[in-house]
């Protein structure tokens, strides 16, 4: 499953540079599927959703850092544990019960976003 940042976030920013998928953004910042991935142009995600990877997307939160579920792989394929949770000083990076995925699904998503390694 993806990780979510709760409203207990203190906006310290420790999590953002740790994300290997660039799935973490500062509150109110637009995001793109292409950010930190090999995606570009029109793509169909592993969940079947068709998107324009270059198109700016609306922020998920205007108040605190947030994680884009479509880009979060819980660091599978990179690390043994979610790095955002490992560095968060207030433990607000927790599993997102609304976005449950198997390890195989997370690894497929990681491979799709980073086909060269």
């Amino acid at each position: 499953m993806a990780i979510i940042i709760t409203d207990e976030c203190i906006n310290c920013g420790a999590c953002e540079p740790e994300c290997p998928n660039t799935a973490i953004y500062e509150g109110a910042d637009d995001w793109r599927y292409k950010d930190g991935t090999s995606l570009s142009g029109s793509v169909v995600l592993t969940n079947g959703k068709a998107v324009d990877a270059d198109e700016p997307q609306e922020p998920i939160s205007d108040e605190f850092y947030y994680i884009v579920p479509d880009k979060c792989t819980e660091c599978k394929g990179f690390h043994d544990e979610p790095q955002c949770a490992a560095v968060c000083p207030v433990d607000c990076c927790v599993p997102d019960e609304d976005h449950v995925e198997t390890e195989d699904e997370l690894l497929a998503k990681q491979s799709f976003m980073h086909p060269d390694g």
Side-chain angles (χ1 to χ4, degrees), residues 3 14-20 24 74-76 78-88 93:
I3 304 296
C15 57
E16 184 180 25
E18 300 301 321
C19 182
I24 302 174
E74 292 184 34
C75 294
K76 298 290 183 195
F78 294 106
H79 304 287
D80 292 334
E81 65 180 345
Q83 296 300 288
C84 56
V87 301
C88 181
C93 298

Side-chain angles (χ1 to χ4, degrees), residues 1-6 74 82 85 92-100:
M1 70 184 62
I3 304 296
I4 191 170
I5 298 175
T6 68
E74 292 184 34
C92 68
C93 298
V94 298
D96 182 355
E97 301 294 333
D98 291 334
H99 294 94
V100 178

Side-chain angles (χ1 to χ4, degrees), residues 44-76:
V44 177
L45 303 177
T46 56
N47 62 12
K49 182 172 26 173
V51 300
D52 181 344
D54 304 317
E55 185 74 25
Q57 305 293 316
E58 292 288 321
I60 293 173
S61 171
D62 289 332
E63 299 173 21
F64 48 85
Y65 280 81
Y66 64 89
I67 299 174
V68 176
D70 283 348
K71 294 178 70 177
C72 179
T73 63
E74 292 184 34
C75 294
K76 298 290 183 195

